[in-house]
Amino acid sequence: MKKETKDQNWHDTDSESRTFGSKLADKVAENMGSWRFIIIQTIIVAVWMLLNIIAFIKHWDEYPFILLNLLFSTQAAYAAPIIMMAQNRQTERDRAHAEADYQTNVDAKLEIEELSERLNAIEVNKLDKIIEMLNKMKSDKES
């Protein structure tokens, strides 16, 4: 992953570094991990099985649906590594986001410490002036 510049945030840097394969893996994982995919796949399987059970002339995949099992195995063989690639990319994005958050927190802490020191200096300066004024008033009263 490229190093962030001052004008970019972690999201911009991540978006620029994505290749076609990364985008494809993310899209496949996003679609396969949805209820829409599960419902569509369930409908296709049900139609496949129904058509093979009631087919009068030609059963292209008779019970126990070996071709259907082969298709599922092929789908799983490709889906698993693609989903893992997407998960790895998500881990990289999370790491970059955490690093950006950490740097923001460090910068904020330093800024707060600096402001605290300035406020303390102002308070000390005010107290010194008050003490000086009280001493002056005391000396004026005595004279």
Side-chain angles (χ1 to χ4, degrees):
M1 192 171 281
K2 290 192 295 187
K3 188 73 176 161
E4 267 182 47
T5 64
K6 282 283 187 193
D7 297 336
Q8 291 182 321
N9 60 27
W10 69 271
H11 182 72
D12 295 334
T13 304
D14 177 66
S15 296
E16 288 177 2
S17 70
R18 294 177 70 190
T19 63
F20 172 75
S22 298
K23 291 176 186 177
L24 181 63
D26 289 345
K27 198 69 175 163
V28 168
E30 180 182 324
N31 287 327
M32 291 188 88
S34 69
W35 278 106
R36 180 174 181 244
F37 175 81
I38 292 171
I39 291 168
I40 290 171
Q41 185 163 351
T42 302
I43 291 169
I44 291 170
V45 169
V47 168
W48 179 289
M49 291 169 59
L50 184 65
L51 289 176
N52 275 287
I53 290 172
I54 63 170
F56 293 111
I57 300 172
K58 179 157 170 82
H59 299 273
W60 69 88
D61 188 20
E62 294 181 14
Y63 182 82
F65 309 115
I66 295 171
L67 182 57
L68 182 61
N69 285 324
L70 177 64
L71 291 174
F72 278 139
S73 297
T74 304
Q75 178 187 25
Y78 283 98
I82 290 172
I83 291 170
M84 287 180 70
M85 283 188 281
Q87 287 176 335
N88 289 341
R89 283 197 34 74
Q90 183 61 46
T91 301
E92 289 174 15
R93 284 191 296 265
D94 291 345
R95 186 177 302 114
H97 190 199
E99 287 174 5
D101 285 348
Y102 174 77
Q103 190 57 49
T104 299
N105 291 341
V106 167
D107 293 345
K109 179 183 178 228
L110 293 174
E111 201 169 312
I112 290 168
E113 287 174 351
E114 182 182 335
L115 287 172
S116 179
E117 288 175 11
R118 285 183 183 179
L119 286 174
N120 286 341
I122 290 171
E123 290 297 317
V124 167
N125 191 17
K126 283 183 179 179
L127 286 173
D128 287 344
K129 285 182 181 179
I130 290 171
I131 291 171
E132 183 181 315
M133 288 172 59
L134 287 172
N135 286 336
K136 185 177 181 186
M137 286 173 60
K138 186 178 178 182
S139 66
D140 286 346
K141 224 179 198 183
E142 290 176 356
S143 9

